[in-house]
Amino acid sequence: MAFTGSGRATARHLTDRQGHKRFTGLEHAASTSVQDAAHTLLRTEFAGTDHVFRLNGPRVEAFSGVAKDLFRLLARGDIEEYRAIVHATRHSRPRLTFDKDWGGPVSVHADGSVFALRLLPGQGA
């Protein structure tokens, strides 16, 4: 749901076996995600959302998203094109490494999605 923004938007991408029905009921207001953040990670542009939270005291930023080119396809509802591209490029991913420019670990999945963590500035090393 972090990439589509809501349960209803997620449901249209899932079969019943994948949990389509789970996302078609009432939604909690906090379940809606806003794709208002963009970061370049490992020299690839990603669109998604970020959250700041405390992890044993220090404030941490978590970013989840998807490669911008794939995000545009999902936003338009071009699921078949998304699937074809992800399938054709699946061997260039996944990747788990530390991105010096970002300042923390970055995990890129075979489907083009990304999850990245970093300490916020001034939080210590």
Side-chain angles (χ1 to χ4, degrees):
M1 279 188 1
F3 310 127
T4 59
S6 71
R8 272 177 245 134
T10 300
R12 72 180 187 166
H13 301 296
L14 301 175
T15 65
D16 285 342
R17 194 179 111 257
Q18 293 169 321
H20 171 84
K21 292 178 183 174
R22 181 173 188 266
F23 292 103
T24 55
L26 292 174
E27 288 186 277
H28 186 280
S31 68
T32 301
S33 173
V34 177
Q35 298 86 32
D36 62 350
H39 291 288
T40 299
L41 303 165
L42 307 174
R43 296 181 302 280
T44 301
E45 290 185 62
F46 291 91
T49 189
D50 56 358
H51 302 277
V52 175
F53 59 94
R54 292 195 180 275
L55 186 62
N56 293 326
R59 292 178 48 190
V60 175
E61 178 181 11
F63 173 75
S64 61
V66 68
K68 273 192 173 182
D69 58 336
L70 297 175
F71 181 81
R72 282 191 277 283
L73 295 172
L74 291 172
R76 287 194 316 245
D78 294 337
I79 305 308
E80 292 308 315
E81 188 176 352
Y82 164 82
R83 288 180 178 155
I85 291 171
V86 165
H87 180 75
T89 60
R90 72 189 182 282
H91 295 299
S92 63
R93 305 177 201 95
R95 186 166 179 202
L96 174 61
T97 190
F98 188 91
D99 185 331
K100 186 173 67 172
D101 294 331
W102 162 257
V106 175
S107 175
V108 182
H109 300 269
D111 64 359
S113 63
V114 67
F115 183 74
L117 288 173
R118 68 178 169 185
L119 289 174
L120 287 177
Q123 300 298 306

